Amino acid sequence: NAFPVCVAGQNQHVTVYVNDTQLTTHDWTNCDAWDETLTIPAALVRAGANSIRIEASYALQAGGGQVKDETRPLSVGFSALQVQPVTP
């Protein structure tokens, strides 16, 4: 489950990459959680280390009351993020 740092008048957008290849995108038009199961095609997985990168359209310092005492720029949070093999 992913959720955006919500800012009035701005819609968050994320792009998910696997080994530098775009897997999917998601646009938020509200602050609802994105509850999605993504399947990584076998062709994108290589022997050894693999990378999953999630890029957001913006990140802001959340000190405006959304997250108390937080000073890092925030974009998207995750309440669950799991990677596991698909069983045939």
Side-chain angles (χ1 to χ4, degrees):
N1 294 1
F3 54 91
V5 171
C6 287
V7 176
Q10 293 189 40
N11 294 334
Q12 185 62 278
H13 169 89
V14 291
T15 304
V16 179
Y17 297 89
V18 175
N19 295 324
D20 296 323
T21 299
Q22 182 178 314
L23 178 63
T24 193
T25 64
H26 179 72
D27 291 296
W28 278 276
T29 57
N30 54 37
C31 295
D32 293 343
W34 179 36
D35 186 13
E36 185 73 28
T37 299
L38 302 176
T39 301
I40 299 172
L44 294 183
V45 179
R46 57 185 178 222
N50 289 271
S51 69
I52 297 173
R53 185 175 80 244
I54 301 167
E55 293 184 357
S57 58
Y58 65 86
L60 300 171
Q61 194 168 359
Q66 286 187 346
V67 181
K68 185 177 174 44
D69 299 326
E70 182 58 71
T71 59
R72 296 171 297 170
L74 303 175
S75 56
V76 177
F78 296 89
S79 57
L81 181 62
Q82 184 175 21
V83 178
Q84 63 188 39
V86 175
T87 54

